[in-house]
Amino acid sequence: DAKTTQPTSMDCAEGRAANLPCNHSTISGNEYVYWYRQIHSQGPQYIIHGLKNNETNEMASLIITEDRKSSTLILPHATLRDTAVYYCIVHNAGNMLTFGGGTRLMVKP
Amino acid sequence: DVKVTQSSRYLVKRTGEKVFLECVQDMDHENMFWYRQDPGLGLRLIYFSYDVKMKEKGDIPEGYSVSREKKERFSLILESASTNQTSMYLCASSSGGFWGEQYFGPGTRLTVT
């Protein structure tokens, strides 16, 4: 699976949109972009995934650039409960997930 | 909602003891996984299973074994616990060929003294 690069940490004001970037410049054509998050002392939680097109669900939106070399996870109205480590994972179906270091998002009042 | 439960949130065992960690999922998922998570090392896959009685080694299977006698239950066994197995253990499940969309349990923090 392709390697990803994420900022180590980010802050966001409560109620504002949180935009979490991820670079995956070596992604290949059949690899998906997955996002998970892990709230302190809990198991990781699946958020969203995509291949080429932008995706939206009840939790977040995923914007993938046209060349697929980077993506952004958007939490439209961040709350304190969104404070967590967010993992961007590039995944080839049939392989196992590989979790990197992630971005520690702190939502502040 | 998918629910993955683990038998204990916290467990303290002594060196040399045999330890059983149980995981149950209620969504009829074919695939189940055991990971451990350590600071600075991220999540590492220990074993996974894609069907009843089937198991495959992950990245770090040494010192562990698994059992899957029923579809909903996947057990991790530490045959003789050692202090370097002190860790957070996470179970996950997923449906069919979708390895990427996994649902995790709350984790068991195991301390071996």
Side-chain angles (χ1 to χ4, degrees), chain A residues 24-25 27-28 51-52 64-71:
Chain A
H24 31 79
S25 58
I27 193 170
S28 58
L51 183 64
K52 293 182 189 176
I64 302 174
T65 58
E66 197 169 336
D67 62 8
R68 302 209 325 123
K69 292 186 177 182
S70 66
S71 60

Side-chain angles (χ1 to χ4, degrees), chain A residues 4 10 19 21 28-29 40-41 53 60 66 77 83 86 91 105:
Chain A
T4 61
M10 291 180 64
N19 297 287
S28 58
H40 183 62
S41 295
N53 300 322
E66 197 169 336
H77 304 287
T83 292
Y86 287 78
H91 173 66
L105 175 69

Side-chain angles (χ1 to χ4, degrees), chain B residues 59-73:
Chain B
D59 299 321
I60 50 163
E62 297 78 20
Y64 303 94
S65 62
V66 290
S67 172
R68 193 162 180 209
E69 297 296 318
K70 293 186 177 181
K71 191 175 186 180
E72 67 271 19
R73 188 179 297 269

Side-chain angles (χ1 to χ4, degrees), chain A residues 34 36 38 40-46 49 87 89 91-101, chain B residues 9-10 33 35 37 41-43 45 48 88 90 97-107 109:
Chain A
Y34 279 78
Y36 280 75
Q38 188 171 21
H40 183 62
S41 295
Q42 297 183 22
Q45 178 187 20
Y46 164 81
H49 74 277
Y87 298 98
I89 302 168
H91 173 66
N92 187 334
N95 288 348
M96 292 296 114
L97 288 177
T98 301
F99 288 78
Chain B
R9 284 288 272 140
Y10 300 94
F33 310 83
Y35 296 85
Q37 184 173 28
L41 296 176
L43 272 81
L45 181 66
F48 68 98
M88 170 70 91
L90 291 155
F98 299 101
W99 304 98
E101 191 172 331
Q102 296 183 18
Y103 294 86
F104 284 79
R109 184 163 295 282

